[in-house]
């Protein structure tokens, strides 16, 4: 059975709404089922699935998922937003910029884009609307800024890419810092332009910020300090050598639990079981996708698909700039129709040999890959961030997507800079 037939069947499964993990598992077994001499029998596929999830670095994923959910229930996002609003609120676009920075910091806690949108959006979108900002603009800015959750470390997609490529998780986390901050600054610039052009209700905004100022700087800082230092503790443990990324993920869970239970007292002991169930429901689909993706990628390797695709692309696109633009366009299209985890696990073994042949650093490619797929979070038809934001506000998904288009343009401009200026990703390594 040819690779083209395999991919066509995979696409058909997706179109008829077969779950991604089942689709991957089915197509992975087909070559062995139709050709008895093919190495990848059904038992090989099952062993590959189990072997794919038998990984110490992978343990970081459920831990970061749990930490993000604990902090969402613990109201960490509100504490972060208050301190950024205190300093920026009275400036032009100060409140939208505070939302973007909150997404940046919360992404450094949860490692997940949808979790960032849900935690930050549920609190900030009603507030932005109350302060006179249009609901579609408020929803769009949270949906797009939520994409920072997968770029700024710790990032679950970076862990997945490390699994697929064999690169260092710590190096990938470091490489994501400057691109994440750069994209956040570009989104803030757009927010400033938008607010200058369409105006703001300064009276309502000032009243809100004055109430915050009445608390006093030290009280606001004291309330927000534990939230602010959480990413510092997690990343500090990794880069000081105290803990591996997996161990730091466990530390983040205990830290989130301690802060929410003891410091802020926003969750109770009896809430913990429900939070654990929510974390398991969030992680279980990722685990099944990961297992099936690993088996599928091994089958593709046995069929020599990476080598065939690599040869075809390198034969038809000899100019390095054109080649990178084509790969970016392909990744953007994939991000629109496929979830991040299977996209990373399926495409990394195929595309990584190609970019390495033109001298691209694998860590640099990992950042480029994740930024591409982050755009997919806010582009139809899949656009997970759009659906999460829509569920929070009731705004139609396409209306949010339309309002988000200028911000996506800034995201794409940042992607071009990241692609063609390797130092943006690699300078901290």
């Amino acid at each position: 059975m040819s690779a083209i037939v395999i991919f066509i069947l995979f696409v058909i499964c997706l179109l008829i709404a077969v779950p991604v993990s089942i689709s991957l598992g089915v197509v992975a077994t087909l070559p062995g089922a139709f050709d008895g001499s093919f190495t990848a029998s059904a038992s090989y596929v099952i062993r590959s699935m189990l072997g794919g999830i038998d990984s110490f670095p992978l343990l970081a994923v459920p831990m970061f998922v749990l930490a993000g959910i604990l902090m969402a229930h613990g109201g960490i996002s509100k504490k972060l937003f208050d301190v950024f609003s205190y300093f920026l609120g009275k400036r032009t676009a100060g409140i939208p910029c505070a939302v973007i920075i909150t997404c940046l910091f919360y992404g450094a806690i949860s490692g997940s884009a949808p979790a960032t949108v849900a935690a930050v959006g549920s609190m900030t979108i009603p507030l932005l609307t109350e302060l006179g900002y249009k609901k579609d603009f408020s929803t769009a800015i949270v949906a797009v800024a939520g994409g920072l959750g997968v770029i700024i470390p710790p990032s679950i997609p970076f862990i997945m890419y490390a699994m697929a490529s064999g690169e260092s998780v710590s190096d990938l986390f470091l490489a994501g810092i400057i691109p994440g901050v750069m994209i956040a600054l570009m989104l803030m610039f757009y927010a400033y332009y938008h607010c200058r052009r369409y105006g703001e209700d300064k009276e309502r905004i000032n009243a809100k910020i004055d109430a915050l100022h009445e608390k006093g700087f030290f009280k606001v800082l004291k309330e927000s300090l534990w939230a602010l230092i959480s990413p510092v503790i997690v990343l500090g443990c990794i880069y000081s050598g105290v803990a591996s990324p997996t161990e730091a993920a466990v530390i983040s869970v205990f830290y989130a639990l301690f802060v929410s239970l003891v410091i802020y007292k926003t969750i109770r002991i009896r809430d913990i079981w429900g939070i654990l169930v929510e974390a398991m429901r969030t992680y279980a689909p990722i685990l099944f996708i990961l297992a099936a993706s690993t088996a599928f990628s091994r089958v593709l390797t046995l069929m020599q698909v990476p080598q065939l695709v690599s040869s075809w692309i390198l034969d038809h696109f000899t100019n390095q700039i054109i080649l990178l633009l084509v790969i970016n366009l392909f990744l953007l299209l994939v991000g629109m129709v496929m979830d991040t985890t299977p996209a990373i696990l399926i495409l990394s073994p195929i595309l990584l040999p190609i970019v390495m042949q033109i001298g691209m650093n694998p860590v640099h490619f990992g950042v480029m890959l994740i930024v591409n797929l982050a755009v997919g979070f806010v582009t139809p038809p899949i656009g997970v961030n759009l659906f999460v934001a829509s569920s929070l506000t009731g705004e139609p998904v396409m209306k949010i997507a339309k309002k988000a288009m200028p911000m996506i343009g800034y995201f794409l401009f940042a992607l071009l800079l990241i692609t063609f200026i390797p130092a943006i990703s690699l300078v901290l390594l």
Side-chain angles (χ1 to χ4, degrees), residues 181-230:
V181 171
M182 180 180 74
I183 293 169
L185 290 172
M186 288 185 175
L187 295 178
M188 291 166 67
F189 176 80
Y190 172 76
Y192 176 82
Y193 162 78
H194 183 277
C195 292
R196 281 292 298 267
R197 181 175 179 181
Y198 297 104
E200 299 174 282
D201 191 334
K202 285 294 186 182
E203 188 175 336
R204 275 196 270 186
I205 293 171
N206 289 339
K208 183 71 178 179
I209 302 305
D210 286 340
L212 196 59
H213 281 191
E214 284 176 8
K215 283 186 175 183
F217 168 71
F218 289 105
K219 187 174 181 181
V220 172
L221 184 61
K222 181 182 176 182
E223 290 177 351
S224 308
L225 183 63
W226 293 94
L228 286 168
I229 64 174
S230 53

Side-chain angles (χ1 to χ4, degrees), residues 50-328:
L50 295 175
I53 57 177
D54 182 17
S55 166
F56 181 69
L58 182 61
L59 290 174
V61 178
M63 292 298 104
F64 280 127
V65 168
L66 178 56
I69 292 173
L70 279 168
M71 291 191 178
H73 284 268
I76 302 295
S77 58
K78 185 179 187 309
K79 307 294 183 183
L80 291 170
F81 180 71
D82 282 349
V83 72
F84 299 135
S85 297
Y86 184 94
F87 290 105
L88 299 174
K90 291 194 174 184
R91 300 178 181 274
T92 302
I95 298 295
C97 287
V99 171
I100 294 167
I101 299 174
T102 303
C103 287
L104 186 74
F105 266 75
Y106 195 85
I109 297 169
S110 70
S112 165
T116 302
V117 174
V120 178
S122 59
M123 180 270 301
T124 58
I125 294 173
L127 176 63
L128 287 168
T129 307
E130 178 190 330
L131 294 178
Y133 297 97
K134 289 185 177 180
K135 187 184 284 189
D136 56 354
F137 169 74
S138 306
T139 309
I141 204 164
V142 173
V144 177
L148 297 170
V150 299
I151 302 170
I152 205 76
S155 160
I156 292 172
F158 275 141
I159 297 172
M160 295 299 182
Y161 176 75
M163 288 280 300
S165 66
E167 293 301 311
S168 163
V169 175
S170 299
D171 285 351
L172 288 162
F173 281 1
L174 266 180
I177 293 174
I178 292 179
V181 171
M182 180 180 74
I183 293 169
L185 290 172
M186 288 185 175
L187 295 178
M188 291 166 67
F189 176 80
Y190 172 76
Y192 176 82
Y193 162 78
H194 183 277
C195 292
R196 281 292 298 267
R197 181 175 179 181
Y198 297 104
E200 299 174 282
D201 191 334
K202 285 294 186 182
E203 188 175 336
R204 275 196 270 186
I205 293 171
N206 289 339
K208 183 71 178 179
I209 302 305
D210 286 340
L212 196 59
H213 281 191
E214 284 176 8
K215 283 186 175 183
F217 168 71
F218 289 105
K219 187 174 181 181
V220 172
L221 184 61
K222 181 182 176 182
E223 290 177 351
S224 308
L225 183 63
W226 293 94
L228 286 168
I229 64 174
S230 53
V232 177
I233 290 174
V234 174
L235 296 175
C237 287
I238 296 173
Y239 296 119
S240 64
V242 172
S244 69
T246 302
E247 293 162 343
V250 177
I251 291 170
S252 73
V253 170
F254 282 99
Y255 180 83
L257 193 61
F258 174 76
V259 170
S260 300
L261 273 175
V262 179
I263 306 296
Y264 294 144
K265 298 178 180 177
T266 44
I267 63 173
R268 293 164 291 183
I269 296 292
R270 67 186 182 191
D271 298 328
I272 294 176
W273 177 252
I275 290 170
L276 290 172
V277 171
E278 184 180 345
M280 286 186 284
R281 285 177 174 169
T282 302
Y283 177 63
I286 297 175
L287 186 65
F288 279 105
I289 290 171
L290 175 64
S293 298
T294 302
F296 184 55
S297 64
R298 290 182 182 179
V299 170
L300 292 181
T301 302
L302 290 172
M303 297 175 71
Q304 297 189 324
V305 171
Q307 294 90 328
L308 293 172
V309 174
S310 175
S311 298
W312 187 87
I313 290 177
L314 291 172
D315 287 343
H316 287 78
F317 302 101
T318 54
N319 184 287
Q320 183 173 332
I321 294 174
I322 300 298
L323 175 61
L324 289 174
L325 289 174
V326 168
I327 291 174
N328 273 306

Side-chain angles (χ1 to χ4, degrees), residues 322-351:
I322 300 298
L323 175 61
L324 289 174
L325 289 174
V326 168
I327 291 174
N328 273 306
L329 181 60
F330 173 67
L331 290 172
L332 287 170
L333 292 173
V334 169
M336 292 180 186
V337 297
M338 187 181 289
D339 194 31
T340 307
T341 300
I344 292 169
L345 296 171
I346 293 169
L347 296 177
S348 296
I350 295 174
L351 296 177

